[in-house]
Amino acid sequence: MVQINRNYLKLKAGYLFPEISRRVNAFSQANPQSSLIRLGIGDVTEPLPQACCKAMKDAVEEMGTSSGFHGYGPEQGYPWLREAIAKNDFQARGCQISADEIFVSDGSKCDSSNILDILGEDNRIAVTDPVYPVYVDSNVMSGRTGDADQSGQYGGLSYIPLNSENGFEAELPLEPVDLIYLCFPNNPTGAVASKEHLAKWVNYANQNNALILFDAAYEAFIQDPLLPHSIFEIDGSRNCAIEFRSFSKKAGFTGTRCAYTVIPKSVHGSTANGNKVDLWTLWNRRQSTKFNGVSYIVQRGAEAVYSLSGQLQTEKLVSFYMQNASIIRKELSSAGYKVFGGEHAPYVWIEAPKGQNSWQFFDYLLQNANVVGTPGSGFGTAGEGYFRLSAFNSRENVEEAMKRIIRI
Ligand code: MLT
């Protein structure tokens, strides 16, 4: 009989969001009259920016002509999109990133998992706790961890706590690590990293020949102009960091699918006998073999994000969700909840009241307020007792959800 990948059996439970859906579906079937408000998974709800729709419609028309038809595109993305990204997202902020260091893809979730293909199996890995579960689960699946202990933490991973005591700042690890996952603005806590905070990590990585995998999927939600949007705003980062970015949250592309990964040509890893190898070449090889690129139509849509109207429309989208976040923060703080995040991120991180654990509070809200959130413990042991509310919903639903939560 065919053998399975035994590492999958180490995974604790279902992936967090399908598990939430399972519970919510069971509740809905038992209570068909209930009107649920979903502030769980961070999935956008507002329509695509018009500039993106128009660009995609035009691209569809073009594809229907002999002269405008496109077959396979470059696996790395079309040069015009890579140029627009490099210029607007990096060079405009003073980062030395060139178009050929951008790899366009269909999502940061896939990229942040697939990157393990080009990295050795013996790297010592650090993740924050709480953490976006994909980083941990993809390491488990690829056999880079031991089993989970009683508390749910996997052997072989170093966990860096993010909590209110340390101001949700990722402190440097006490034990040496080679690979570090950082996500700022942070999913799930909504915390943000200052330049000084990131500089500490860049220095650590350079001094220890480590690699930072920096997930900046939520950078567009940063409100303070002094905060960094990219790890490449930090001196020395070109030698030690890879960054993941996405159009999902910023431009409403969760269903359209477009993202990108930045790998500077100056970032290297090492072979077992100490020879330096650049990661750009390995990732380029990986993508050329395993990926056929994002569709021409979608890349045209993503390119339109950088047009004048696209920029205005995406700013409006972001600001809409940030107003939701601000309503959630304000209403829940006034009601006595301990509230974090939500100022530079579309996630508000709250302490579950009355000593409830995360899943107890999840069930309590689901049953009594018909509001769906995400249990903090689903993001790691240190998330226990916390709860994440997403700002991605209509204004009406956010206001109604707040009324219901405050009432119970
Ligand atoms: C979340 O809710 O954490 C996000 O939707 C996850 C993702 O972007 O994959």
Side-chain angles (χ1 to χ4, degrees):
M1 190 179 279
V2 68
Q3 297 286 303
I4 58 149
N5 177 349
R6 279 173 295 137
N7 296 310
Y8 276 63
L9 303 181
K10 293 183 199 162
L11 292 164
K12 275 176 302 170
Y15 181 56
L16 175 61
F17 295 107
E19 173 60 19
I20 291 174
S21 297
R22 199 186 58 73
R23 292 190 185 212
V24 170
N25 290 342
F27 175 82
S28 296
Q29 269 169 22
N31 303 276
Q33 77 300 340
S34 66
S35 79
L36 283 178
I37 300 179
R38 294 168 197 269
L39 304 178
I41 189 165
D43 191 6
V44 291
T45 54
E46 296 305 296
L48 285 168
Q50 279 307 305
C52 302
C53 291
K54 172 155 188 339
M56 286 194 274
K57 278 191 209 152
D58 291 348
V60 169
E61 292 298 332
E62 208 186 328
M63 289 285 275
T65 65
S66 304
S67 57
F69 174 75
H70 289 78
Y72 291 127
E75 293 89 354
Q76 303 77 4
Y78 282 99
W80 34 262
L81 177 56
R82 300 170 86 196
E83 290 288 351
I85 291 169
K87 181 165 157 256
N88 291 280
D89 287 348
F90 297 98
Q91 292 155 12
R93 300 193 66 84
C95 308
Q96 303 308 308
I97 294 295
S98 60
D100 62 353
E101 294 175 320
I102 312 278
F103 291 85
V104 176
S105 76
D106 60 350
S108 289
K109 179 172 170 177
C110 327
D111 284 356
S112 63
S113 315
N114 292 335
I115 198 74
L116 291 175
D117 272 11
I118 66 163
L119 299 171
E121 291 184 353
D122 297 327
N123 286 313
R124 295 160 298 184
I125 299 154
V127 291
T128 61
D129 183 9
V131 67
Y132 179 41
V134 171
Y135 314 148
V136 171
D137 286 2
S138 55
N139 275 287
V140 176
M141 289 170 174
S142 63
R144 287 167 162 88
T145 71
D147 289 322
D149 66 16
Q150 287 267 320
S151 75
Q153 295 197 331
Y154 289 95
L157 295 185
S158 292
Y159 289 88
I160 300 168
L162 292 182
N163 51 42
S164 51
E165 284 89 66
N166 59 28
F168 298 96
E169 184 162 319
E171 283 159 17
L172 297 178
L174 300 174
E175 51 209 0
V177 295
D178 307 300
L179 186 61
I180 302 133
Y181 290 81
L182 293 178
C183 171
F184 288 105
N186 186 250
N187 180 11
T189 65
V192 75
S194 65
K195 280 195 175 150
E196 296 69 38
H197 179 183
L198 294 186
K200 267 203 310 206
W201 278 102
V202 167
N203 292 339
Y204 173 89
N206 281 325
Q207 278 159 17
N208 293 278
N209 293 320
L211 175 69
I212 298 172
L213 297 177
F214 190 71
D215 186 345
Y218 299 94
E219 58 74 36
F221 296 85
I222 291 175
Q223 305 294 301
D224 179 345
L226 295 178
L227 289 168
H229 286 235
S230 166
I231 190 109
F232 298 118
E233 289 178 48
I234 311 300
D235 286 344
S237 55
R238 277 192 57 89
N239 296 324
C240 65
I242 288 176
E243 182 163 301
F244 305 105
R245 290 270 192 115
S246 172
F247 294 96
S248 282
K249 313 294 157 87
K250 161 183 179 164
F253 271 50
T254 52
T256 307
R257 309 307 309 151
C258 198
Y260 63 88
T261 287
V262 188
I263 307 197
K265 292 194 170 164
S266 43
V267 65
H268 290 81
S270 146
T271 63
N273 52 16
N275 292 333
K276 269 170 79 173
V277 179
D278 77 273
L279 299 183
W280 185 97
T281 301
L282 298 187
W283 185 247
N284 193 43
R285 183 70 176 81
R286 191 257 173 221
Q287 292 298 80
S288 311
T289 302
K290 294 196 178 183
F291 187 56
N292 260 335
V294 175
S295 82
Y296 174 75
I297 296 161
V298 168
Q299 290 193 60
R300 281 294 184 203
E303 183 195 27
V305 166
Y306 300 104
S307 65
L308 191 57
S309 52
Q311 285 185 27
L312 292 172
Q313 290 159 12
T314 48
E315 273 165 28
K316 213 167 139 204
L317 261 185
V318 164
S319 133
F320 174 80
Y321 292 127
M322 287 312 289
Q323 282 164 34
N324 282 350
S326 155
I327 292 169
I328 298 174
R329 275 185 62 85
K330 184 167 149 278
E331 295 296 330
L332 294 185
S333 318
S334 316
Y337 282 85
K338 263 203 179 157
V339 173
F340 307 95
E343 289 174 304
H344 305 285
Y347 297 125
V348 180
W349 186 242
I350 60 179
E351 226 175 77
K354 302 179 200 131
Q356 294 176 85
N357 73 30
S358 300
W359 278 109
Q360 282 168 341
F361 189 55
F362 173 88
D363 289 332
Y364 178 72
L365 274 196
L366 179 61
Q367 275 150 30
N368 298 291
N370 298 169
V371 170
V372 181
T374 309
S377 56
F379 298 101
T381 311
E384 183 57 279
Y386 287 89
F387 199 72
R388 193 193 75 177
L389 289 175
S390 141
F392 294 118
N393 214 312
S394 66
R395 182 62 39 79
E396 194 189 351
N397 277 350
V398 166
E399 286 174 347
E400 172 63 16
M402 291 308 106
K403 276 194 206 137
R404 292 190 197 172
I405 295 177
I406 288 166
R407 215 168 33 224
I408 58 174

